Amino acid sequence: MNPVTSSTLPSLPAPTLLDRLSWLHAQGRLGLPLAFDTEGEEWMTCCSLAWMEGAVSKALVVDTLSLRDHPYGPSIWSALTAILEDSGVIKVCWAAGHERGFLQWTHHITLRGYRDAMNLWAERWPELAKRLKYAATILTRIPCWTEGISFNEDREEAQATGEKLWRYNGTDSIATLQIYQHPQLQLTGAQADRVAFHTALIEPANWASQKGIAYDQDRSSALREEILPKLWEAQADVDDQAGVEPLNPDQVLAAAADALCHKTRMKRSLAGYKERVASMDDTGQPVLNKRGKPVKTTIEHSPRILSWTLCLEHANKDCRQPLLRLKELAEVETPAAQAEINAILERGINVKSSGESSQVIALLNRLGLPPVFKRGTHKAKPDDDEQGVMPSQSKDQEALLSLFLRTGHPVTIALLKVMSIRGQLQELARGVSSDGRIRCSYTVGYGTETGRTTTHKWLDGAGGNLQTVPKD
Amino acid sequence: MNFRILYRPDPGHLFWRADLTGADLWTVAARCATLGDPTMLDDLRAGIRIPSLIGLMLEDGYRPGQDRALIRQDAKAYRARLIASGRKSFDTTLKKGGHLTNYGGSHKRIRQTVIEDTYAETGVPWDPGLDLCLRVRNTYLSRYWGLPRWWADTAFKVTRTGRLTMATGQVREFLSRRPKNGKLDDETRREALAAEPQSVTTWICNQAWWKLWSDLENWTEGAVNKGEPIVQVLLSVHDELAGQCRVDHRPFLASKLTSAFDQPITIGRITLTIPFEGLTGPSWGECKEPL
């Protein structure tokens, strides 16, 4: 099995590309297995078909992004679709469920005759990671092709475009084919039956994903309104234990002006200032002097008193709504209102702050609670600042539950309550698709080592892991 | 808070759920029975709610006799008393205690899990205490004495061969961890014990999903929307399938789900069919009406 060696990618004119696709289709119908891979999010950026010629792996990459206004575009799409929809042509994919779902959702192409090399890999070695690059590293001689192409692991997408992306795409499909044909993955008996079964299950799983479920958005908004007051009550408890002093209405106004308004303009308004402006005549035209220059007069602005009206006049960008909310809350003297004020003004304990600026860890340290460290990290080094936040300290739910177990301190329960309610609000923030339905994608049969199916966000970013939706 | 109420069926449809809750326990019971202890299997077949039985034995000194119908009745009454007295967290301890004891969990682990689960359910963690967790564990093991045999049998297989072959045909090789001095580490042991129950439950759900999809009657019998199945599976959640169908197809739904989940499976030397519970309602979170 040779690594990819060509230094430049030869480009084919459109008629030749069409011929090549027809040839591949014909070869596929004669039994030549093809591997198939796509790149793209909302649209297929490119796709590749790989095959073996003797001992040499080859791939044909189609730059589908450039087909949009291309005169040969419809013909090339038609030839490609014919291959993909032909159940008599084997197309080996890595995560066929994703490829099939993507083709159906974005291009209304129904992938048939597919095989899933990832299923073979996961059936043979359930404990190993299922990313293509791991399998390729172990079973092929193809080098890690993400080198030279930035691949964003968090967003799971290639960052490159053009030739770098095409090479990456072609290499993916070649690796998929080589893995599929590897002797160690020629499974038999019950294991082969399981792979075939889970590959077949992709079809109903895709159907369920595309169908989606009707989502009651009105009820979701109502639940959110129900939960928000509970959040502020719980947050008030945390702020109280942290010793955050409540603010009276005047203090709220002063803090709002400081945090949410343009400092220079506020200072000027409060101190008073003089302004030179052009004089206007009755018709609204500028008055000119003998030299034709505009005549200016001085206007004296007297100092203004700090007020909500002044704050709204000088609000920073996107701060108008928070200021209006603060104005409402300032007159409500309840702990929950104070908690919301603290949150807007960023003076309360923010449970979402993390890393070295984690306010939760700082609070726990201040209260003298024993530190809990992240799993697998080192504990405090001799020269670590014991008063500050140590990098390996953890403030997540597991850590707080562990602290609760060890100490029973009320602040742990208060923090857990806030986190729990924030989790509920996050649950309500699951996106729905543009048709108002909620969807998820499935990894059937090989989501976990035990064969469990797992769910993830759908192709449009909506939904998510619907297996964790809380029930009573 | 029940967020599943937000997931609704299309107009003219009802939501259904087919639940294999407790399915993992059937696999454990079959393995224990294969190794000589049929107690758990017989209790499950009699419809006894095991956590309630353990609670009854723990709190009331109950000594179960041979009449399982009576045991079932007594366990049911005990649970009703427990819920009525507002001790749901204690019931969680019994459930988690039994579940974790099946997989060799210690009383410390039971305590940790109860705190995490009560927090997840209510937003406020509840500490059952180590003593209670130990008593739950010991009471559980006193009834189901075959469990340590199953643990030893599984550990032996993994230690000798590095792999487990499940009743579903899955072969799991435990790769990176090796036993030290002939003994499995705790994490591998727990994973090995949990492997087959999870594999069996998921397999049955997936098989049922496929049966519904590939059943021609589900596509043609009085179908209103051509190209869509009548009994639609919209969600798969580990031990549960959920979906929708038209309200007037309720009897059809009942018959198809029963047939889909009628899957005898041989675990060890025991062949059994794991029962499911079918419920319907106006949303995923409100499926309470039995089929």
Side-chain angles (χ1 to χ4, degrees):
Chain A
M1 305 228 177
N2 299 317
V4 170
T5 55
S6 62
S7 52
T8 55
L9 295 179
S11 162
L12 298 175
T16 314
L17 175 60
L18 271 174
D19 286 341
R20 190 58 63 90
L21 286 171
S22 296
W23 177 81
L24 274 176
H25 194 169
Q27 291 299 306
R29 288 206 63 91
L30 291 172
L32 177 75
L34 305 175
F36 174 71
D37 186 57
T38 61
E39 302 300 334
E41 291 278 309
E42 291 162 9
W43 186 263
M44 194 195 300
T45 312
C46 62
C47 70
S48 58
L49 290 159
W51 68 97
M52 297 293 290
E53 278 183 20
V56 176
S57 315
K58 291 192 173 181
L60 176 71
V61 181
V62 182
D63 176 17
T64 47
L65 197 59
S66 68
L67 291 180
R68 277 189 174 173
D69 299 314
H70 197 284
Y72 276 87
S75 312
I76 294 172
W77 270 116
S78 180
L80 205 47
T81 305
I83 297 175
L84 297 175
E85 293 194 336
D86 189 341
S87 57
V89 176
I90 293 175
K91 275 84 59 182
V92 182
C93 305
W94 190 267
H98 168 78
E99 300 293 350
R100 193 173 184 280
F102 173 70
L103 286 170
Q104 187 73 51
W105 183 254
T106 53
H107 299 279
H108 309 291
I109 295 173
T110 304
L111 183 67
R112 298 191 181 95
Y114 52 91
R115 304 286 186 272
D116 197 332
M118 187 188 80
N119 285 2
L120 283 170
W121 166 261
E123 181 68 34
R124 179 66 182 84
W125 291 294
E127 300 234 320
L128 292 182
K130 293 172 192 58
R131 296 299 297 270
L132 176 57
K133 63 182 179 183
Y134 293 110
T137 307
I138 293 171
L139 293 182
T140 75
R141 290 171 62 195
I142 294 174
C144 178
W145 54 89
T146 56
E147 191 173 336
I149 305 171
S150 58
F151 185 83
N152 190 313
E153 292 280 350
D154 293 329
R155 287 161 55 191
E156 293 194 340
E157 62 184 27
Q159 303 283 283
T161 53
E163 185 165 323
K164 272 189 178 173
L165 182 66
W166 303 332
R167 184 182 293 277
Y168 168 85
N169 180 227
T171 315
D172 263 8
S173 52
I174 287 174
T176 302
L177 187 62
Q178 290 186 5
I179 292 166
Y180 177 74
Q181 295 180 329
H182 197 280
Q184 292 233 41
L185 293 187
Q186 305 312 304
L187 304 179
T188 55
Q191 286 188 302
D193 292 343
R194 283 175 51 86
V195 170
F197 170 69
H198 288 122
T199 306
L201 205 57
I202 286 172
E203 197 183 336
N206 272 165
W207 184 88
S209 296
Q210 310 261 351
K211 176 79 179 172
I213 306 170
Y215 189 77
D216 193 339
Q217 302 216 54
D218 292 337
R219 211 164 172 187
S220 171
S221 304
L223 273 178
R224 189 166 191 280
E225 293 309 309
E226 206 181 296
I227 291 170
L228 273 174
K230 294 179 188 170
L231 170 68
W232 299 126
E233 279 169 25
Q235 182 70 50
D237 189 13
V238 170
D239 289 347
D240 180 53
Q241 294 203 40
V244 179
E245 292 290 332
L247 298 175
N248 63 37
D250 290 335
Q251 287 170 323
V252 173
L253 176 58
D258 188 48
L260 302 175
C261 300
H262 194 285
K263 285 191 172 28
T264 312
R265 292 206 297 258
M266 279 297 282
K267 196 176 168 183
R268 209 171 61 155
S269 290
L270 290 170
Y273 62 102
K274 290 178 187 173
E275 192 184 6
R276 295 269 299 160
V277 297
S279 298
M280 299 289 184
D281 61 22
D282 294 336
T283 62
Q285 295 300 313
V287 173
L288 301 173
N289 62 16
K290 287 176 193 171
R291 289 182 202 168
K293 298 241 162 97
V295 172
K296 288 199 174 178
T297 55
T298 303
I299 297 179
E300 208 164 310
H301 296 273
S302 14
R304 293 176 68 179
I305 296 170
L306 182 62
S307 67
W308 287 108
T309 309
L310 188 63
C311 284
L312 286 165
E313 276 176 32
H314 295 312
N316 283 334
K317 192 181 169 198
D318 298 330
C319 289
R320 192 174 166 77
Q321 284 305 318
L323 275 168
L324 286 169
R325 184 67 184 145
L326 280 172
K327 187 181 172 209
E328 280 175 30
L329 292 168
E331 302 303 325
V332 181
E333 290 180 13
T334 62
Q338 279 293 322
E340 198 177 343
I341 289 170
N342 290 337
I344 296 172
L345 294 173
E346 295 184 3
R347 61 187 295 273
I349 299 296
N350 181 0
V351 300
K352 291 192 287 188
S353 57
S354 59
E356 287 182 14
S357 53
S358 168
Q359 294 172 19
V360 170
I361 296 180
L363 171 63
L364 296 173
N365 289 347
R366 191 154 40 93
L367 293 173
L369 290 166
V372 180
F373 296 93
K374 292 172 192 160
R375 267 194 214 178
T377 59
H378 60 273
K379 295 191 178 176
K381 290 184 192 161
D383 53 352
D384 270 344
D385 176 11
E386 285 181 7
Q387 303 306 316
V389 173
M390 288 172 271
S392 51
Q393 264 185 284
S394 175
K395 59 115 192 172
D396 60 18
Q397 282 179 15
E398 209 181 300
L400 286 169
L401 282 168
S402 169
L403 265 181
F404 168 72
L405 209 65
R406 283 151 65 181
T407 65
H409 198 290
V411 80
T412 57
I413 297 183
L415 286 165
L416 284 167
K417 250 191 193 168
V418 171
M419 284 180 172
S420 166
I421 297 172
R422 284 206 173 272
Q424 290 179 354
L425 288 171
Q426 215 168 345
E427 179 58 45
L428 292 172
R430 276 187 202 268
V432 296
S433 299
S434 54
D435 59 0
R437 297 179 81 84
I438 195 160
R439 294 178 166 87
C440 66
S441 62
Y442 287 95
T443 302
V444 285
Y446 300 104
T448 68
E449 299 93 339
T450 52
R452 277 183 159 178
T453 297
T454 52
T455 55
H456 323 276
K457 269 191 181 170
W458 182 234
L459 294 162
D460 58 3
N465 183 0
L466 298 187
Q467 294 177 333
T468 59
V469 176
K471 57 180 175 181
D472 265 339
Chain B
M1 189 160 276
N2 186 356
F3 290 98
R4 293 183 179 190
I5 59 175
L6 301 173
Y7 295 74
R8 309 198 66 83
D10 291 326
H13 289 67
L14 52 81
F15 221 96
W16 60 264
R17 264 181 56 207
D19 208 327
L20 281 175
T21 304
D24 289 7
L25 207 50
W26 285 86
T27 305
V28 176
R31 283 291 172 192
C32 288
T34 301
L35 293 166
D37 173 22
T39 319
M40 194 187 289
L41 189 59
D42 291 341
D43 283 351
L44 287 173
R45 280 178 168 154
I48 295 169
R49 189 175 181 273
I50 289 176
S52 304
L53 173 58
I54 300 303
L56 201 52
M57 290 168 68
L58 192 63
E59 291 207 304
D60 296 359
Y62 185 81
R63 294 173 73 113
Q66 298 300 314
D67 184 352
R68 282 195 156 82
L70 184 61
I71 298 173
R72 178 168 174 249
Q73 214 175 310
D74 291 341
K76 202 172 171 187
Y78 171 78
R79 182 155 197 259
R81 274 192 347 247
L82 204 62
I83 301 300
S85 63
R87 294 169 66 206
K88 203 164 181 291
S89 297
F90 185 75
D91 189 53
T92 302
T93 309
L94 296 171
K95 263 176 27 192
K96 291 299 160 184
H99 174 76
L100 287 167
T101 306
N102 286 333
Y103 304 125
S106 68
H107 54 293
K108 288 180 188 170
R109 194 162 173 79
I110 294 170
R111 182 189 176 210
Q112 173 84 30
T113 305
V114 170
I115 288 174
E116 285 167 10
D117 281 16
T118 48
Y119 165 68
E121 283 165 19
T122 64
V124 179
W126 183 74
D127 182 1
L130 276 176
D131 181 56
L132 174 62
C133 295
L134 185 60
R135 286 167 55 219
V136 167
R137 188 177 187 275
N138 289 345
T139 307
Y140 197 87
L141 287 174
S142 73
R143 176 122 182 112
Y144 306 113
W145 49 268
L147 280 170
R149 281 193 182 181
W150 174 52
W151 301 341
D153 182 59
T154 304
F156 177 74
K157 285 173 185 163
V158 175
T159 311
R160 283 250 357 235
T161 65
R163 59 180 64 185
L164 272 184
T165 303
M166 330 274 181
T168 58
Q170 184 186 8
V171 177
R172 182 164 166 194
E173 212 169 323
F174 292 85
L175 283 174
S176 56
R177 293 157 290 220
R178 290 285 178 259
K180 284 183 183 174
N181 304 318
K183 212 183 155 201
L184 270 188
D185 65 283
D186 280 345
E187 194 186 335
T188 309
R189 196 173 75 112
R190 276 198 302 272
E191 283 188 24
L193 290 170
E196 190 176 41
Q198 285 186 16
S199 180
V200 166
T201 307
T202 307
W203 180 253
I204 289 173
C205 275
N206 285 344
Q207 288 282 338
W209 193 356
W210 179 252
K211 277 191 181 185
L212 290 167
W213 179 259
S214 58
D215 184 344
L216 280 178
E217 267 187 13
N218 195 24
W219 292 84
T220 57
E221 183 70 26
V224 177
N225 297 321
K226 300 288 179 212
E228 286 210 332
I230 300 161
V231 176
Q232 300 177 6
V233 177
L234 298 176
L235 282 163
S236 168
V237 185
H238 307 318
D239 54 4
E240 176 187 319
L241 287 181
Q244 66 178 10
C245 78
R246 292 189 67 84
V247 174
D248 49 352
H249 281 123
R250 209 163 178 279
F252 184 81
L253 168 72
S255 126
K256 285 300 162 190
L257 285 182
T258 304
S259 137
F261 280 94
D262 181 17
Q263 300 174 42
I265 184 165
T266 301
I267 304 168
R269 283 200 285 267
I270 307 292
T271 299
L272 50 82
T273 300
I274 298 178
F276 80 101
E277 190 185 18
L279 300 165
T280 62
S283 72
W284 185 21
E286 292 162 306
C287 286
K288 299 209 188 313
E289 201 185 328
L291 273 176

